[in-house]
Amino acid sequence: MPELKIPGMLIIDTPGHESFSNLRSRGSSLCDMAILVVDIMHGLEQQTIESLNLLKKRRTPFIIALNKIDRLYEWKIMNKVPVETAIKKQKQITRDEFKDRTDQALLQIAENGLNAKLFYENPDFKSYISVVPVSGISGDGMADLLSLACELSQKMLGPQLVYKNVLEAMVMEVKAIHGLGTTVDIILRNGQIKEGDQVVLSGIEGAFATTVRAVLTPHPMKEMRVKNNYIQHKVVKAAQGIKICARDNMDKTLAGMPV
């Protein structure tokens, strides 16, 4: 793997449930690269196909995480070695089931107009979508997934992954939180936001200006969408997911619009 020069990665985890289609749409419009999660036991489901079509429409480069390989019959956890090695060291019955289910998933992807191959068999990353077998439970293949995401980001997106001091942000969600009032979850892609800033948001009745009262982030390894105690900051620089509290009309803010 080449030396990594990218400054870091901000990963937006959008819910997979079909009722969260608007949130997935907002996430896909923001991202430089995507990881599409496919359940190896069920193949492409309706919400997976919907996400696939969003990425195709926006011409967003992506890789596929073929998840839940730990559910394969008699799978032996080997999360300290490359997943290709882990697969080769499984029993024959496990390898056969892996091949059958992977072939079925690749066929379903082809039926949706895309060519895909396992990442260690991929002859051309520009012609074929890379598929990485992983397990979110056991950790098998996760190092391969992150390594490939970093490598492809650096190869394909190099000039885009440079910090700019011009504000670029989007509203992901608007919600009321006890003790904080109506808050806005924002993905800060470039620039910075600090307490006391004047920001312009899109509202139901048109654009409006308001003053940022607090800039909050979740504690490390905690989700923005789950109710937690938050860390308050004077200033936050991109790229980061943040929650802001402001003075006026926050309940009228429209999600999916730029800041």
Side-chain angles (χ1 to χ4, degrees):
M1 181 176 171
E3 179 187 355
L4 286 179
K5 296 179 182 178
I6 58 174
M9 300 183 80
L10 172 64
I11 297 178
I12 306 170
D13 181 15
T14 57
H17 193 275
E18 60 185 335
S19 62
F20 288 95
S21 60
N22 284 339
L23 196 56
R24 283 194 295 276
S25 178
R26 290 171 220 150
S28 66
S29 67
L30 263 178
C31 65
D32 298 303
M33 172 173 280
I35 299 173
L36 182 66
V37 181
V38 175
D39 187 335
I40 193 172
M41 307 306 288
H42 297 112
L44 268 65
E45 298 180 285
Q46 185 56 47
Q47 57 267 34
T48 318
I49 295 170
E50 171 207 293
S51 299
L52 195 60
N53 290 331
L54 280 172
L55 295 171
K56 286 164 61 179
K57 180 180 177 181
R58 295 192 166 101
R59 302 180 67 83
T60 304
F62 66 97
I63 54 184
I64 293 174
L66 196 59
N67 195 25
K68 298 188 181 179
I69 56 174
D70 61 292
R71 298 276 301 276
L72 297 172
Y73 183 69
E74 292 198 4
W75 176 267
K76 186 177 179 183
I77 296 172
M78 299 183 193
N79 53 21
K80 303 296 184 185
V81 300
V83 71
E84 181 182 6
T85 304
I87 291 165
K88 288 178 179 176
K89 289 186 176 181
Q90 301 297 326
K91 292 181 179 179
Q92 184 64 49
I93 190 170
T94 310
R95 296 201 305 271
D96 289 345
E97 185 184 4
F98 171 78
K99 185 177 186 311
D100 290 345
R101 292 189 181 277
T102 300
D103 287 347
Q104 182 62 32
L106 295 179
L107 176 61
Q108 290 177 316
I109 294 166
E111 288 172 349
N112 282 274
L114 293 168
N115 295 319
K117 282 187 177 291
L118 290 169
F119 76 102
Y120 49 80
E121 297 176 351
N122 193 342
D124 182 4
F125 291 110
K126 292 184 178 179
S127 301
Y128 294 88
I129 306 298
S130 288
V131 178
V132 186
V134 299
S135 166
I137 298 294
S138 68
D140 287 293
M142 296 305 292
D144 299 272
L145 180 65
L146 291 174
S147 174
L148 184 64
C150 291
E151 182 181 352
L152 294 184
S153 295
Q154 186 161 294
K155 282 182 179 178
M156 303 170 69
L157 306 170
Q160 294 174 235
L161 304 180
V162 177
Y163 174 79
K164 303 180 185 72
N165 208 27
V166 178
L167 181 66
E168 187 179 354
M170 177 183 278
V171 175
M172 289 291 281
E173 282 192 286
V174 181
K175 54 190 172 185
I177 294 182
H178 182 69
L180 295 176
T182 303
T183 65
V184 174
D185 290 350
I186 289 174
I187 298 299
L188 180 61
R189 189 173 177 181
N190 263 310
Q192 64 180 30
I193 290 181
K194 62 181 183 292
E195 283 186 17
D197 273 351
Q198 282 273 324
V199 294
V200 177
L201 300 169
S202 297
I204 298 169
E205 300 171 356
F208 64 94
T210 186
T211 303
V212 176
R213 184 162 48 87
V215 182
L216 309 170
T217 61
H219 285 269
M221 304 304 291
K222 299 291 184 181
E223 290 190 33
M224 177 77 76
R225 300 187 68 253
V226 178
K227 184 178 178 181
N228 292 297
N229 292 321
Y230 296 96
I231 303 171
Q232 187 165 351
H233 304 266
K234 292 294 183 183
V235 60
V236 171
K237 290 181 68 175
Q240 181 69 277
I242 63 173
K243 181 183 291 292
I244 67 168
C245 307
R247 299 191 184 283
D248 312 300
N249 301 319
M250 295 293 278
D251 56 326
K252 298 178 181 178
T253 306
L254 289 175
M257 301 299 286
V259 178

